[in-house]
Amino acid sequence: FFFLARHLLDLATGSAGEPMAVWVGAAVSALLFALHPLRVESVAWATERRAVLSALFYTLTILVYLYAWRAVKLRGRWYWVALALFLCAVLSKSITVTLPVILLILDIYPLRRLGGNNGWWSETARMVYWEKLPFAVLSAVASAVAFIALAQVENTASLDSLGVLDRLAISAYSLWFYFWKMLAPFKLLPLYEMPSVVKLSNLSFMLSYVFVILATALGLVLRRRVPGVGAVAMAYLVTLLPVLGIFQNGPQIVADRYSYLSCMGWAVLAGGVLLYFLNGAAQKRRALTASATAMIITSILATLTWQQAAIWLNTGTLWNHVLKFDPKSSFAHYNLARFLAKQGEQAEAIAHYREALAIRPDDPDTHNNLGLLLAVRGDVEESLEEFQRAVQINPNYAKGFFNLGRVYSRQGELEKAVENYRQALNLNPNEAEIYFGLGNVLARLGQLEEASAHFQKAVEINPDVADAHMALARALAAQGKKEVAERHYQEALRLLQSQNKNPAKNK
């Protein structure tokens, strides 16, 4: 990013920029980018390391593209290198699909290959557009793959749940949010949960619209005098387009990680402002003041980043931090409850599950997990109510039917257990645990042949479970199939011995 900033500042200033001042401006740009607390999520969260990887290929693509423009004799070779690097970027993370448009913005400013004397549709301009065609094809393919992936996980909000006006309000809010947090990076959260209802009259959304309107007007006024501001603002908007809320997915309204690429331009612009003060020997006092200010700002950002990184120490610190600033986050209550349950703190976990349901009562996973804890604690009737509520909310929720089957089985209500196990199996025919549970109930009912068939299916799906082999062996032995039963007894014994030698695997 430092080398990219140096190239861009050099192109923007031309012969007016002093070489040392350009290097200092680029260094400050890189520090402002790297040390900003908004970067923490992408670096500290393992899942988002793809943002760091994609940014590497993203910046390299632009660097090579700029070099190809300057190195006339090797332009063709470097162009294909840039295209290969772009392929690596979109394979790393699909948010980089907007890069072809970013290259066009760079062609307008600072390269000045479009507009001005070259026009917008001259022969020279058309060549610039043709250059982007392979990039656009890669971008279109990557976008299609991303949409298909989102459709498969059913994580995208429908128009019924989030209307067009709602999406526009979220988009305006996002544009304001990242810009404001870039200037004032306080109270940064791992999750900014989407409100259950988007109210356009909400002060935050209204101020966001005002910001977008004023920023657009300012960009139009300054487009000739300070073209860099317009170029950075346009790149900011384009880079954020995939995550602005138009194609809303996930529980978040905004996320720190989405600023990783979109705020690069503002960091370069900040370096350009410093460069303006550094240029000229007659302005030494102003240059020293600007340099000192830049160092103070980067030191403050580094301190805030250090503090922000501590939030990601573990799951408990993460979600407790969210609840500190957003106590109405159902997602934070839910995830903290899961963490506490794994730590054996059942009472606290139950309390957080109940808080999550008080905020968002229509979540089947929360009802299901609360039901599991209640069952472990011995509150059978309450647990049944939670599982029943889960399947009422989502009739296709296999986990709920499975857990109903388990509880009814323990209560001795075997017919009800069979009914719920069968329903779970219809919804999820590839889960060994369901076959195993249903087989156990059928064996207790004396239906050994059908029970054996379900145990057999369980060991086919997951052959490393000793209990399943044991249950199948017992059912087969009871039917007089002793030779086959013996093989499964031996396999169960082998698995148990293996687990005893490797306690971690057993756990």
Short mmCIF file of all heavy atoms in Angstrom, two decimals, residues 34 37 46 68 71 73 92 143 168 176 202 242 270 277 312 324 339 346 378 394 425 448:
data_model
loop_
_atom_site.label_atom_id
_atom_site.label_comp_id
_atom_site.label_asym_id
_atom_site.label_seq_id
_atom_site.Cartn_x
_atom_site.Cartn_y
_atom_site.Cartn_z
N ALA A 34 -2.72 1.34 7.90
CA ALA A 34 -2.37 0.11 8.63
C ALA A 34 -2.69 0.19 10.11
O ALA A 34 -3.05 -0.82 10.73
CB ALA A 34 -0.89 -0.20 8.43
N PRO A 37 -7.91 1.60 13.73
CA PRO A 37 -8.67 0.55 14.43
C PRO A 37 -9.69 -0.18 13.56
O PRO A 37 -10.05 -1.32 13.88
CB PRO A 37 -9.37 1.33 15.55
CG PRO A 37 -8.55 2.55 15.76
CD PRO A 37 -7.99 2.90 14.42
N ALA A 46 -9.99 -14.69 12.32
CA ALA A 46 -9.41 -15.66 11.38
C ALA A 46 -10.20 -15.75 10.08
O ALA A 46 -9.62 -15.83 8.99
CB ALA A 46 -9.30 -17.03 12.04
N ALA A 68 2.29 -0.80 -15.96
CA ALA A 68 2.06 -1.13 -17.37
C ALA A 68 1.78 0.13 -18.17
O ALA A 68 2.19 0.26 -19.33
CB ALA A 68 0.88 -2.10 -17.50
N ALA A 71 5.38 1.79 -18.41
CA ALA A 71 6.39 1.02 -19.16
C ALA A 71 5.82 0.67 -20.54
O ALA A 71 5.25 -0.39 -20.75
CB ALA A 71 6.76 -0.24 -18.39
N LYS A 73 7.12 -0.16 -23.45
CA LYS A 73 7.64 -1.31 -24.19
C LYS A 73 7.14 -2.64 -23.62
O LYS A 73 7.02 -3.62 -24.36
CB LYS A 73 9.17 -1.28 -24.16
CG LYS A 73 9.78 -0.13 -24.96
CD LYS A 73 11.30 -0.20 -24.95
CE LYS A 73 11.90 0.94 -25.77
NZ LYS A 73 13.39 0.89 -25.76
N SER A 92 -9.72 -14.69 -3.70
CA SER A 92 -9.49 -14.51 -2.26
C SER A 92 -10.75 -14.00 -1.57
O SER A 92 -11.12 -14.48 -0.50
CB SER A 92 -8.35 -13.53 -2.02
OG SER A 92 -7.17 -13.98 -2.63
N SER A 143 -18.91 -12.42 -9.42
CA SER A 143 -20.15 -11.92 -8.83
C SER A 143 -21.25 -12.97 -8.89
O SER A 143 -21.99 -13.17 -7.92
CB SER A 143 -20.60 -10.64 -9.56
OG SER A 143 -19.62 -9.62 -9.47
N LEU A 168 -32.18 1.55 0.54
CA LEU A 168 -31.56 2.84 0.24
C LEU A 168 -31.15 3.55 1.53
O LEU A 168 -30.08 4.18 1.59
CB LEU A 168 -32.53 3.71 -0.56
CG LEU A 168 -32.81 3.26 -2.00
CD1 LEU A 168 -33.87 4.15 -2.64
CD2 LEU A 168 -31.52 3.29 -2.84
N TRP A 176 -22.25 6.96 5.33
CA TRP A 176 -21.94 7.88 6.43
C TRP A 176 -21.12 7.17 7.50
O TRP A 176 -20.14 7.72 8.00
CB TRP A 176 -23.23 8.43 7.02
CG TRP A 176 -23.09 8.93 8.43
CD1 TRP A 176 -23.60 8.37 9.57
CD2 TRP A 176 -22.39 10.10 8.87
NE1 TRP A 176 -23.25 9.10 10.68
CE2 TRP A 176 -22.51 10.18 10.28
CE3 TRP A 176 -21.66 11.09 8.20
CZ2 TRP A 176 -21.94 11.20 11.03
CZ3 TRP A 176 -21.09 12.11 8.96
CH2 TRP A 176 -21.23 12.16 10.34
N ASN A 202 -35.82 7.56 11.56
CA ASN A 202 -34.77 7.50 12.57
C ASN A 202 -33.72 8.56 12.29
O ASN A 202 -33.31 8.78 11.14
CB ASN A 202 -34.14 6.10 12.57
CG ASN A 202 -33.14 5.93 13.69
OD1 ASN A 202 -32.07 6.53 13.67
ND2 ASN A 202 -33.48 5.10 14.66
N PRO A 242 -21.00 -3.56 -3.18
CA PRO A 242 -21.46 -4.93 -2.89
C PRO A 242 -21.97 -5.13 -1.47
O PRO A 242 -22.67 -6.10 -1.20
CB PRO A 242 -20.21 -5.79 -3.14
CG PRO A 242 -19.32 -4.95 -4.00
CD PRO A 242 -19.58 -3.55 -3.59
N ALA A 270 -5.23 11.72 2.48
CA ALA A 270 -4.60 12.32 3.67
C ALA A 270 -3.11 12.53 3.44
O ALA A 270 -2.55 13.57 3.82
CB ALA A 270 -4.83 11.43 4.89
N PHE A 277 1.40 20.45 2.21
CA PHE A 277 2.08 21.28 3.20
C PHE A 277 3.60 21.11 3.15
O PHE A 277 4.34 22.03 3.50
CB PHE A 277 1.58 20.95 4.60
CG PHE A 277 0.18 21.42 4.87
CD1 PHE A 277 -0.87 20.53 4.93
CD2 PHE A 277 -0.08 22.78 5.05
CE1 PHE A 277 -2.16 20.97 5.18
CE2 PHE A 277 -1.36 23.23 5.30
CZ PHE A 277 -2.41 22.32 5.36
N TRP A 312 -10.75 -9.05 20.87
CA TRP A 312 -10.80 -10.34 20.16
C TRP A 312 -10.02 -11.43 20.88
O TRP A 312 -9.70 -12.46 20.29
CB TRP A 312 -10.25 -10.15 18.74
CG TRP A 312 -11.12 -9.29 17.90
CD1 TRP A 312 -11.16 -7.92 17.88
CD2 TRP A 312 -12.11 -9.72 16.99
NE1 TRP A 312 -12.11 -7.48 17.00
CE2 TRP A 312 -12.71 -8.56 16.43
CE3 TRP A 312 -12.56 -10.97 16.56
CZ2 TRP A 312 -13.73 -8.63 15.48
CZ3 TRP A 312 -13.57 -11.04 15.61
CH2 TRP A 312 -14.14 -9.87 15.09
N LYS A 324 -21.87 -4.47 25.91
CA LYS A 324 -21.56 -3.26 26.67
C LYS A 324 -22.12 -2.02 25.98
O LYS A 324 -22.61 -1.10 26.64
CB LYS A 324 -20.03 -3.15 26.83
CG LYS A 324 -19.57 -1.91 27.58
CD LYS A 324 -18.05 -1.88 27.66
CE LYS A 324 -17.56 -0.60 28.34
NZ LYS A 324 -16.06 -0.56 28.38
N PHE A 339 -21.18 -19.76 24.21
CA PHE A 339 -19.85 -19.79 24.81
C PHE A 339 -19.93 -20.21 26.28
O PHE A 339 -19.18 -21.07 26.74
CB PHE A 339 -19.19 -18.42 24.68
CG PHE A 339 -17.88 -18.29 25.41
CD1 PHE A 339 -16.73 -18.90 24.94
CD2 PHE A 339 -17.82 -17.56 26.59
CE1 PHE A 339 -15.53 -18.78 25.63
CE2 PHE A 339 -16.63 -17.43 27.29
CZ PHE A 339 -15.47 -18.04 26.80
N GLN A 346 -24.18 -22.95 32.98
CA GLN A 346 -25.51 -23.16 32.43
C GLN A 346 -26.49 -22.06 32.82
O GLN A 346 -27.28 -21.60 31.98
CB GLN A 346 -26.05 -24.52 32.85
CG GLN A 346 -25.28 -25.69 32.26
CD GLN A 346 -25.85 -27.02 32.71
OE1 GLN A 346 -26.91 -27.09 33.31
NE2 GLN A 346 -25.14 -28.10 32.41
N GLY A 378 -32.75 -30.78 33.78
CA GLY A 378 -33.85 -31.57 34.30
C GLY A 378 -35.21 -30.94 34.16
O GLY A 378 -36.22 -31.52 34.60
N ASN A 394 -40.30 -22.79 12.57
CA ASN A 394 -39.74 -23.32 11.32
C ASN A 394 -40.08 -24.81 11.20
O ASN A 394 -39.39 -25.66 11.78
CB ASN A 394 -38.22 -23.13 11.29
CG ASN A 394 -37.61 -23.61 9.99
OD1 ASN A 394 -38.31 -24.04 9.07
ND2 ASN A 394 -36.29 -23.56 9.91
N LEU A 425 -35.79 -37.13 10.24
CA LEU A 425 -35.12 -37.89 9.19
C LEU A 425 -35.61 -37.47 7.81
O LEU A 425 -34.81 -37.40 6.85
CB LEU A 425 -35.39 -39.38 9.40
CG LEU A 425 -34.35 -40.37 8.85
CD1 LEU A 425 -32.97 -40.04 9.38
CD2 LEU A 425 -34.76 -41.79 9.20
N LEU A 448 -36.93 -54.97 15.78
CA LEU A 448 -35.49 -55.15 15.64
C LEU A 448 -35.00 -55.05 14.20
O LEU A 448 -33.91 -54.53 13.93
CB LEU A 448 -35.08 -56.50 16.24
CG LEU A 448 -35.30 -56.64 17.75
CD1 LEU A 448 -34.93 -58.03 18.22
CD2 LEU A 448 -34.46 -55.61 18.49
#
